[in-house]
Amino acid sequence: MKNFLKQYSFFVVFVILIMVLVEYLVRSKIVPAFIIPAPTSVASHIVEQWRPLILEHLKATMVEFSIGFIIAVTAGVALAVSMFFSKTIEKMLYPAVVISQMIPIIALSPIFVLWFGYSIWSKVAVTVLMSFFPIVVATYDGLKSCDKDYIELLRSMGANKRQIFSKLNIPMALPSFFSGLKIAIVYSLVGATIGEWLGASEGLGYYSRRMSGDLNASGVFASIVILTVVGIILFAIASLLEKRTLRWKNRL
Amino acid sequence: MTLILKNVTYTFPKKEIPVIAKLNLTVQQGEFVSLIGKSGTGKSTILKLITGLLQADEGEISINKKPVTLGDVGFMPQKDLLFPWRTILDNIMIGAEIKKEIKISKENARSWLKKVGLSDYEQAYPNQLSGGMRQRVAFLRTLLTEKEVLLLDEPFGALDSITKKEMQAWLLSIWQELDKTIVFITHDLEEACYLSDRIILLKEDRKIEETIVPLPRPRYQEMLHSQILVELRKELEKKI
């Protein structure tokens, strides 16, 4: 906790200053409330609307996020492992994975709506497309990063390929995998939100768009605040998981 | 466990000139042999050929008349290569994890850690250890593969001179206790003379020259300054 304060106290001060400034600008009518809402009105919007915001919209977004993220991690790790074992698969699919990131996802999303309609799967598809790439690249690079000397050491002991993979390649890949996981977990949430903008009947992305249509800036910011808090929590969970798994890194 | 290299030739892929040419070498059971020579004379390559990591183009390498394959000898590379995510105890147990026929119990491994003065560190991770400690762990890992023949590639090359002296004394004591055959690479001629029964000088013309070290066993650090060792070292320095 002491470290936490030391690390983030300046940041907290900065955020509070900004909020006070915004509050002042809005209250003194320098900036109209539909451009930037006063932090207090965002807060009261959240308090008043917490039921639909949390129970309905956040829940919907979290379901899309969870399905998409789990698919991305499972498929991403599977692809990374198959590319690691097969040069053919690597040559065939690695460029495709990279190119998939060059496609502007917003531009692709109408296609997903065409394919999956307004069902949950169009949002899941955007989520997967967003978070798949960091998982594949990080896992694959991690698996490949293994020092040849370590492999020779195990081979000299008579280890077979399977043992080298489980005792060496996997633990070696974990730090890189977790870096990818932390990026992917945040991207997934962004993906779910973007998916909802394009066509949905629930979810925080849908909610913020609806509020924007009503010129209700407090409503837009309320969903942004909730999404941000959730994003931070998800990132923190991933970091915690990383710290627990890579315990050896913290001991010095 | 006699280790025999017979007419061994090896050329690196895409190279014309062999790095090892028609090498003949016999190492007796329990013998301590050092390989010395300039960089590029193939010292490490010889060890890799003996481990089976590299395949000789010609010739045979055998231990007790059986051709060597991977997993037949204990190999300690130049870098300690400890697995940073494993505790010290788990690091030295890796050999037993890989080969089921190696029966090293945790108690057994612990008693070894105690012997090398690392019993307080069994649950520590490698990044908490000093260079000399890591080297001892790496040696134990090699030792606990329970092979008769141990190949040590410049194990003390990266250590400061005081730690190095300690490690040499420590290695000698362990070697004397267990009847292991050791092939040892070093750049340090004094170290080669002090530790070995026999020194093999690898020359740039791919020939070898053997020198028997006439010091008695057991050896003590005082011998480092003995007339015999100093003379021998001078002689080797000229030849190398």
Side-chain angles (χ1 to χ4, degrees):
Chain A
M1 195 63 203
K2 216 174 171 187
N3 273 333
F4 185 85
L5 283 180
K6 214 173 171 183
Q7 182 86 29
Y8 296 111
S9 55
F10 283 100
F11 173 71
V12 171
V13 169
F14 170 74
V15 170
I16 291 172
L17 279 177
I18 292 285
M19 293 217 285
V20 169
L21 179 72
V22 172
E23 189 80 32
Y24 164 74
L25 288 175
V26 177
R27 286 197 179 213
S28 57
K29 305 251 191 283
I30 298 170
V31 176
F34 64 85
I35 299 288
I36 297 177
T40 47
S41 72
V42 175
S44 66
H45 187 102
I46 295 175
V47 172
E48 278 162 28
Q49 297 290 319
W50 76 270
R51 245 170 202 285
L53 270 172
I54 305 292
L55 298 183
E56 190 185 328
H57 298 295
L58 176 63
K59 191 183 138 210
T61 306
M62 290 314 285
V63 170
E64 294 151 11
F65 155 81
S66 310
I67 298 175
F69 182 68
I70 290 168
I71 293 177
V73 173
T74 319
V77 170
L79 178 61
V81 171
S82 8
M83 289 200 304
F84 176 70
F85 279 112
S86 158
K87 270 266 160 291
T88 317
I89 294 179
E90 192 234 291
K91 288 201 170 129
M92 212 156 65
L93 294 183
Y94 197 81
V97 172
V98 175
I99 291 169
S100 80
Q101 283 308 289
M102 305 305 141
I103 305 169
I105 288 168
I106 308 262
L108 199 66
S109 311
I111 291 283
F112 287 152
V113 176
L114 205 66
W115 290 345
F116 302 108
Y118 289 101
S119 73
I120 188 174
W121 298 107
S122 61
K123 292 104 198 164
V124 169
V126 180
T127 308
V128 171
L129 197 62
M130 287 283 281
S131 51
F132 185 63
F133 180 76
I135 294 281
V136 175
V137 173
T139 312
Y140 180 62
D141 286 351
L143 287 172
K144 271 212 321 194
S145 72
C146 188
D147 192 337
K148 165 175 139 289
D149 294 340
Y150 276 100
I151 297 173
E152 285 193 342
L153 176 76
L154 282 193
R155 283 185 60 218
S156 81
M157 293 176 177
N160 57 35
K161 275 201 160 166
R162 196 176 47 79
Q163 287 173 321
I164 291 173
F165 185 69
S166 66
K167 295 197 189 298
L168 190 60
N169 292 122
I170 290 180
M172 279 268 183
L174 279 180
S176 174
F177 167 77
F178 275 110
S179 304
L181 194 79
K182 285 193 286 187
I183 297 171
I185 207 164
V186 176
Y187 275 23
S188 292
L189 195 63
V190 174
T193 315
I194 294 177
E196 286 162 2
W197 280 355
L198 301 158
S201 52
E202 53 181 355
L204 287 170
Y206 157 79
Y207 186 85
S208 71
R209 216 183 136 172
R210 202 181 78 194
M211 290 295 129
S212 158
D214 295 347
L215 290 183
N216 185 340
S218 307
V220 176
F221 273 77
S223 62
I224 291 173
V225 167
I226 295 173
L227 279 170
T228 308
V229 170
V230 170
I232 293 170
I233 293 171
L234 290 172
F235 186 83
I237 293 172
S239 301
L240 198 73
L241 196 66
E242 176 187 33
K243 273 216 177 96
R244 303 213 82 184
T245 314
L246 308 180
R247 210 169 284 170
W248 54 273
K249 276 204 155 178
N250 310 313
R251 290 227 202 152
L252 263 177
Chain B
M1 288 280 171
T2 316
L3 168 69
I4 298 173
L5 287 85
K6 207 167 164 189
N7 271 324
V8 173
T9 300
Y10 181 78
T11 314
F12 279 114
K14 292 175 195 156
K15 289 271 167 66
E16 302 275 305
I17 306 155
V19 59
I20 315 280
K22 301 236 176 280
L23 174 74
N24 285 294
L25 180 65
T26 302
V27 182
Q28 299 298 336
Q29 155 104 38
E31 200 180 7
F32 196 126
V33 171
S34 287
L35 303 179
I36 59 170
K38 287 189 180 145
S39 301
T41 45
K43 301 184 294 293
S44 294
T45 310
I46 292 177
L47 292 201
K48 284 194 179 165
L49 285 164
I50 302 173
T51 57
L53 287 168
L54 295 175
Q55 294 296 321
D57 303 331
E58 284 166 47
E60 284 163 24
I61 302 172
S62 60
I63 294 175
N64 279 0
K65 290 173 189 145
K66 274 205 288 203
V68 291
T69 52
L70 286 165
D72 281 352
V73 296
F75 174 50
M76 180 178 173
Q78 273 179 40
K79 290 183 260 172
D80 60 60
L81 298 178
L82 299 178
F83 291 10
W85 56 88
R86 280 175 172 253
T87 62
I88 298 309
L89 187 67
D90 288 343
N91 258 294
I92 63 174
M93 300 277 292
I94 182 100
E97 274 177 44
I98 282 169
K99 285 282 166 199
K100 290 285 166 282
E101 60 266 29
I102 301 173
K103 297 265 183 282
I104 297 281
S105 64
K106 282 212 165 164
E107 282 64 47
N108 203 329
R110 279 201 189 98
S111 75
W112 268 108
L113 282 175
K114 197 170 180 188
K115 243 183 229 176
V116 307
L118 289 173
S119 51
D120 292 344
Y121 292 89
E122 71 167 68
Q123 291 307 323
Y125 288 93
N127 60 10
Q128 296 168 282
L129 268 60
S130 70
M133 289 167 158
R134 292 172 66 105
Q135 223 56 38
R136 268 179 277 173
V137 176
F139 180 77
L140 274 193
R141 178 182 59 193
T142 312
L143 194 67
L144 296 189
T145 56
E146 296 202 306
K147 304 296 177 225
E148 298 302 322
V149 177
L150 304 181
L151 312 176
L152 314 180
D153 191 349
E154 268 196 86
F156 312 141
L159 301 179
D160 62 86
S161 62
I162 294 169
T163 315
K164 194 173 188 171
K165 294 247 156 63
E166 281 172 18
M167 296 292 290
Q168 289 166 349
W170 177 81
L171 176 63
L172 278 180
S173 72
I174 285 188
W175 172 71
Q176 256 142 26
E177 189 181 326
L178 312 160
D179 190 27
K180 301 280 184 191
T181 308
I182 293 184
V183 182
F184 188 93
I185 292 182
T186 180
H187 275 114
D188 181 342
L189 297 179
E190 186 182 76
E191 179 173 71
C193 300
Y194 175 48
L195 297 175
S196 340
D197 295 314
R198 201 146 54 97
I199 297 172
I200 311 290
L201 170 65
L202 302 172
K203 301 209 278 195
E204 283 172 313
D205 60 1
R206 308 295 170 226
K207 296 219 167 66
I208 61 168
E209 196 172 321
E210 283 192 25
T211 310
I212 289 168
V213 181
L215 288 172
R217 299 270 181 195
R219 298 203 179 147
Y220 305 101
Q221 289 208 0
E222 294 76 55
M223 290 181 180
L224 283 168
H225 310 291
S226 69
Q227 194 62 30
I228 304 173
L229 198 147
V230 173
E231 292 284 321
L232 189 61
R233 204 190 127 173
K234 269 189 199 155
E235 199 184 312
L236 286 169
E237 220 155 75
K238 263 183 248 161
K239 285 180 187 167
I240 205 164

